[in-house]
């Protein structure tokens, strides 16, 4: 008993050590496939660290309009004071005094209205008349400040373009939804990676704390955005993993105690499982640097197969035989089962998907470690004189030899698949997310009310050597896509060059500025008959003179002196290493396929169109085909192992038949249930095959050379039934998870386990044959 306790303590210590050195992660991006094209590679890089993923959308509702405006202003002030946000927009912040000074100085280099004809007498006359009318209106203070130094209206036009283009109403220094019940709106951009669940959870906590500090009363705060989704997904995955771990462990322990009436057996079963978990986790952490929570949950449940090994060792133990002798006797069959199950994971290892490869490494190493522990360690841990007796199970002999029923079941399953076409492939990555539909609907609603861009369809600009090069390409794109706008394929795009023109374009605008004498003459002609003093526009003349000699405004200048505009630009212009990339979210896209085809013909070098949904569907389809080919290779390898291990092709096929039948039945049940299958369902089918190998091998042991010779038929079937029930308890819990990936895996294996056991029993030959 001391050796057993010491072994469990050592395994617990090793498990704690590897988990401390490489804590499990819950970032769903780690399960995304790597990009195989420049567009997809850029997409996944942006999903991991792009500034657009740090956007938080918020709404405050449940109070009178005036109270909502106060709460919005005070919440925004708290967010800015926290230092966690690069930008906070709530309707109260326009441009700071320093930003206004800089942008007012550079207005003629930044404004798209800076053309030679804009400074002629014919163009200036209506501007001066509008200025005169404005000075007699409520806008007089604003126009008195800017109008005489900028009669062309370049600066106010820029400010309206940058800050005023929104679908919201501004009232009392806050943004409000244009329709429906009163709802104050805010938008903020965090400083961490958008899908870094911990960073985004901290940003959300700061948001809620700022709202609570404003004394909200009965008002409530709604949050959405990529960061909210990342934190919610991580939380849901964590809750599901904890639920599966605790619930399945409790049920499994209760069943095994009921079956064997021994706490000693529970301790013995924990040894191979613990060794498998520690070895699998350590291997995955060594290869990948960390272990994902989904890989941990799926790997742990997959390693539930190793619970079968000690159960089989103890229940196939003969009277008068030592446990080490039993281990030697059943080792050829146990070894074949473990190696074949591990070989079945070749599809995971060859899929190229980081998540599936990680699961394959975790489970493959764990299976082999669990089998080895059962063979060489576990037999020496049973205390001397200890006996473990099993409670008898109902006789299953009536199932034996029911091949007609088995064939009928397979025919029905095949007919179902033929009629329904089988379960459809799930190619929508959003369907694998644990985010509730209500939260996704809220996100769409807030984006619509705020006018926030939907980054599903976008133009990718790059790679480029500098920000200036990206801005030049952005300007070329703006011109090239006008025919596409006229054809109705899109309504526009949020281009980086909208906020900062390229240096070349700024120089062209400088060249369009008139000389002072020409400008004074044009102004004299335009102001004739209007009640302006002759010196009223001296600041305008001086500003044009200064603008001709200004150095072009750069990205760094903007980020240092104009953070509000820089915050608008930074999600569209990012640097990755030595290269710079730009994005331009497209708006008003009706047919993404048609736009993609038309955009491919644009004569703009270094620009490509990317529709996120289309790209993800193509990638998942490509990886699905690749994984299926590797799965077929795994099937061939497993069959070869069975044929070699059982020394006969017919024997190998006899053992493989229940496995194939269980997969067929499982697919038919999934088709009837309307379950769309993904790569993770395929992984679950591989796990099912590994489980079915155990059942088929040990049930099929028959004849004088069988490793179970000397045991009653019911005892042998009861031993395998115990393993099947133990597995069913584990995966029954997994099928109750809210995370779609875990739910799909659990449902697939739970159905398959029942089918695999019944088919293995039914395909046994009758007594005497």
């Amino acid at each position: 008993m001391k050796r057993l306790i010491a072994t469990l303590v050592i395994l617990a210590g090793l498990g704690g050590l590897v988990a401390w050195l490489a804590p499990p992660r819950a970032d769903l991006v780690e399960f995304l496939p790597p990009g195989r094209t420049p567009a997809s590679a850029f997409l996944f890089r942006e999903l991991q660290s792009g500034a657009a993923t740090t956007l938080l959308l918020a709404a405050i509702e449940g109070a009178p309009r005036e109270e909502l405006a106060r709460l919005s202003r005070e919440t925004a002030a708290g967010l800015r004071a926290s230092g966690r946000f690069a930008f906070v927009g709530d309707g109260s912040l326009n441009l700071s005094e320093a930003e206004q000074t800089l942008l007012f100085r550079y207005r003629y280099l930044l404004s798209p209205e800076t053309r030679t004809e804009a400074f002629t007498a014919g163009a200036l006359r209506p501007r001066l008349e509008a200025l005169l009318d404005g000075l007699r209106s409520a806008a007089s203070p604003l126009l008195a400040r800017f109008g005489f130094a900028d009669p062309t209206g370049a600066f106010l036009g820029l400010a309206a373009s940058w800050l005023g283009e929104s679908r919201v109403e501004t009232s009392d220094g806050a943004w409000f939804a244009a329709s429906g019940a009163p709802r104050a709106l805010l938008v903020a951009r965090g400083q961490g990676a958008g899908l870094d669940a911990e960073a985004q959870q901290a940003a959300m906590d700061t948001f809620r704390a700022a709202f609570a500090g404003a004394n909200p009363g009965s008002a409530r705060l709604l949050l959405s955005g990529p960061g909210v989704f990342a934190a919610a997904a991580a939380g849901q995955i964590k809750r599901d993993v904890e639920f599966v771990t605790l619930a399945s462990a409790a049920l499994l322990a209760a069943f095994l105690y009921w079956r064997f009436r021994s706490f000693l057996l529970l301790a013995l079963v924990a040894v191979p499982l613990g060794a498998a978990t520690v070895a699998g986790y350590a291997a995955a952490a060594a290869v990948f640097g960390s272990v994902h929570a989904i890989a941990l949950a799926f790997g742990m449940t997959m390693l539930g197969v190793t619970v079968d090994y000690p159960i089989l060792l103890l229940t196939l133990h003969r009277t008068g035989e030592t446990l080490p002798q039993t281990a030697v006797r059943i080792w050829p069959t146990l070894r074949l089962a473990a190696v074949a199950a591990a070989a079945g994971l070749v599809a995971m290892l060859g899929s190229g998907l980081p998540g599936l490869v990680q699961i394959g490494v975790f489970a493959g190493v764990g299976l082999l470690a669990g089998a080895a522990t059962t063979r060489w360690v576990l037999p020496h841990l049973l205390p001397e004189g200890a006996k473990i007796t099993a409670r008898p199970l109902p006789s299953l002999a009536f199932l034996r030899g029911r091949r007609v029923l088995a064939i009928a079941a397979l025919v029905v399953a095949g007919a179902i698949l033929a009629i329904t076409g089988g379960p459809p492939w799930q190619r929508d990555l959003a369907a694998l997310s644990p985010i509730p539909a209500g939260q996704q609907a809220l996100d769409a609603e807030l984006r619509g009310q705020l006018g926030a861009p939907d980054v599903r369809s976008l133009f990718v600009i790059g790679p480029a050597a500098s920000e200036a090069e990206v801005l030049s390409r952005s300007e070329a794109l703006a011109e090239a896509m006008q025919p596409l706008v006229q054809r109705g394929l899109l309504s526009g795009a949020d281009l980086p060059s909208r906020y900062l023109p390229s240096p070349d374009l700024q120089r062209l605008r400088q060249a369009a500025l008139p000389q002072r004498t020409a400008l004074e003459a044009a102004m004299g002609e335009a102001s004739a008959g209007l009640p302006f003093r002759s010196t009223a526009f001296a600041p305008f003349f001086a500003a044009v003179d200064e603008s001709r000699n200004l150095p072009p405004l750069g990205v760094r200048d903007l980020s240092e002196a104009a953070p509000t505009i820089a915050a608008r630009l930074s999600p569209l212009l990012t640097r990755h290493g030595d290269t710079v990339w730009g994005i331009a979210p497209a708006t008003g896209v009706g047919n993404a396929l048609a736009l993609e085809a038309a955009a491919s013909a644009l004569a703009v070098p270094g620009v490509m169109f990317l529709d996120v949904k289309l790209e993800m569907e193509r990638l998942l389809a490509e990886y699905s085909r690749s994984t299926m080919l590797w799965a077929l290779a795994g099937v061939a390898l497993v069959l070869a192992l069975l044929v070699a291990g059982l020394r006969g092709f017919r024997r190998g096929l006899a053992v493989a038949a229940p496995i194939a039948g269980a997969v067929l039945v499982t697919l038919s049940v999934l088709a009837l249930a309307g379950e769309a299958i993904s790569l993770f369902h395929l992984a679950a089918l591989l796990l099912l095959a590994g489980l079915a190998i155990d059942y088929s091998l040990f049930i099929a042991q028959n004849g004088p050379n069988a490793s179970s010779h000397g045991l009653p038929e019911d005892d042998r079937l009861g031993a395998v039934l115990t393993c099947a029930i133990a597995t069913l308890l584990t995966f029954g819990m997994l099928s109750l998870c809210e995370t779609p990936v875990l739910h799909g895996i659990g449902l697939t294996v739970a159905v398959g386990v029942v089918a695999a056991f019944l088919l293995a029993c039914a395909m046994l030959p009758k007594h005497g044959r």
Side-chain angles (χ1 to χ4, degrees), residues 33 62 148 261 394 611 741:
F148 293 102
R261 292 168 290 188
D611 184 87
V741 169

Side-chain angles (χ1 to χ4, degrees), residues 80 87 92-104 145-146 155 159 163 558 560-565:
R80 296 186 188 103
F87 171 76
S92 63
L93 177 66
N94 290 317
L95 294 174
S96 68
E97 196 68 33
E99 288 179 294
Q100 291 183 30
T101 300
L102 175 73
L103 299 179
F104 189 72
R145 180 181 178 187
F146 297 113
F155 174 70
L163 300 174
L558 208 61
E560 292 175 354
T564 302
I565 303 305

